Amino acid sequence: METLKNRIQGLRDQFAQAAPQVLDQAALQELRNLYLSRKKGHLTQLFELMKGLAPEQKPAAGQEVNSFKQYVQSELDRLEKELQAPSRSGPSVDLTLPGRASYWGAPHPVLLIKERIEQIFLRMGFSIEDGPEMETDFYNFEALNFPPHHPARDDWDTLYIDDDLLLRTHTSPVQIRVMEKKKPPIRMINPGKVFRKETPDPTHLPMFFQVEGLVVDHGITFAHLKGTLEYFLKALYHDSIKIRFRPSFFPFTEPSAEVDIGCTVCNGEEDDCRVCKGTGWLEILGAGMVDPQVFKNVNIDPEKYSGFAFGMGVERTAMFSFQIPDLRYFYENDLRFIRQFSKK
Ligand code: FA5
């Protein structure tokens, strides 16, 4: 009797293991034959085994075998039903549902404008140069004619790393690095990040991109500076963009100018415009003729050569191109903002 019970338990375990593997009608039929086939099925063999038992053991044994047979039968029925249900026999996707659009990503608007600026200057024969974001006091200030304690340093709220190292406040140090390396003629731009200890507001960021420009050759005049920048601004915005040059001061250029364009957000028509603050003008870059002292600092003879330089803010340029009223949107990483620049 014990042998029979153990045999039934063993068969029950085997069945439970085999049932989840049944994925089609052929496998189901195989399992059915294994247990219920009249000739060699496990149940037929169990009934054979019963015959050898003592008569008083037969009723209990009969109950055990019959209950196992019922278990097998009902499990086979359940598997049969499952195979017919759509989840196992047919595709589980509803092909009538509308498709989901996939998002392809979009270039960041600042990157987009940086590339447009580069393209315009490449067309004019400028090269693209690179420089470090962490600078020494010499490159960021001294070689650019800012002696220690010069009040002009106060215009830049500098982030110092130690007494000599700082996060560059502008891309102008790259002018020095390029003039140390290359001799004129030089025609280069340098796009890169700069850092200032500023509180973010609609027109100021503590980290932003600038594009520096430098031209050095024989006989370069302010007319070249003006012509180059006018050509550039018209190519970037449109032919009828309003441009004005205002006298300004930078220790490394003389004379110096600040260049403004007519407000692209309000067109000079709103007194309370948050971007131009009602002035109708937007400051886009600083520029000027390279100061002779800067040439001397890099061993270029100012009697033989002259040049001009400029530095523009890329976020401000992008802000004016896309009419974005607040520079802080660029770095809030709100996908709803970024996705507007997707081409798809
Ligand atoms: C400079 O940084 C000079 N190095 C530019 C220069 C280069 C002058 C070569 C002469 C010759 P300025 O601090 O004005 O200048 O900055 C240049 C431009 O960077 C500004 O016109 C503006 O477009 C942008 N800018 C300045 N400060 C910020 C700021 N906090 N956030 C975003 N953009 C800024």
Side-chain angles (χ1 to χ4, degrees), residues 55-236:
E56 66 275 15
Q57 288 178 323
K58 280 188 181 165
Q63 249 180 11
E64 292 283 343
V65 177
N66 276 324
S67 105
F68 179 54
K69 188 179 176 185
Q70 271 169 17
Y71 163 77
V72 170
Q73 195 67 63
S74 73
E75 279 297 285
L76 291 169
D77 289 350
R78 181 181 66 77
L79 289 173
E80 174 90 62
K81 271 193 202 129
E82 270 190 28
L83 282 184
Q84 282 162 5
S87 62
R88 285 195 65 170
S89 59
S92 57
V93 238
D94 181 351
L95 298 175
T96 62
L97 283 175
R100 261 183 233 152
S102 55
Y103 172 60
W104 284 80
H108 192 281
V110 172
L111 181 73
L112 209 76
I113 289 296
K114 184 172 89 69
E115 282 175 359
R116 268 192 219 164
I117 295 171
E118 288 172 358
Q119 289 308 318
I120 299 170
F121 282 104
L122 284 173
R123 284 208 303 269
M124 286 195 270
F126 283 63
S127 65
I128 298 181
E129 305 289 340
D130 207 4
E133 289 171 4
M134 197 161 73
E135 269 298 3
T136 60
D137 186 272
F138 174 78
Y139 284 104
N140 197 79
F141 291 123
E142 236 167 285
L144 287 163
N145 230 1
F146 292 83
H149 313 298
H150 190 287
R153 288 192 181 206
D154 296 345
D155 288 346
W156 281 287
D157 296 315
T158 314
L159 293 154
Y160 283 93
I161 290 155
D162 61 29
D163 284 348
D164 190 40
L165 276 179
L166 47 96
L167 293 179
R168 66 178 177 190
T169 54
H170 54 168
T171 43
S172 299
V174 183
Q175 288 184 34
I176 304 297
R177 290 186 175 275
V178 169
M179 286 192 284
E180 279 179 343
K181 241 180 15 198
K182 294 184 178 175
K183 291 300 150 206
I186 294 170
R187 229 185 290 171
M188 72 91 183
I189 56 162
N190 158 245
K193 276 189 219 126
V194 303
F195 308 84
R196 294 184 190 177
K197 198 162 160 277
E198 298 246 27
T199 307
D201 70 22
T203 52
H204 292 85
L205 292 168
M207 185 290 293
F208 57 100
F209 280 84
Q210 281 190 340
V211 174
E212 190 76 11
L214 174 71
V215 171
V216 184
D217 207 342
H218 295 290
I220 299 291
T221 68
F222 201 92
H224 293 111
L225 162 63
K226 213 166 166 236
T228 306
L229 290 178
E230 279 180 1
Y231 173 84
F232 161 71
L233 290 170
K234 285 181 178 173
L236 187 68

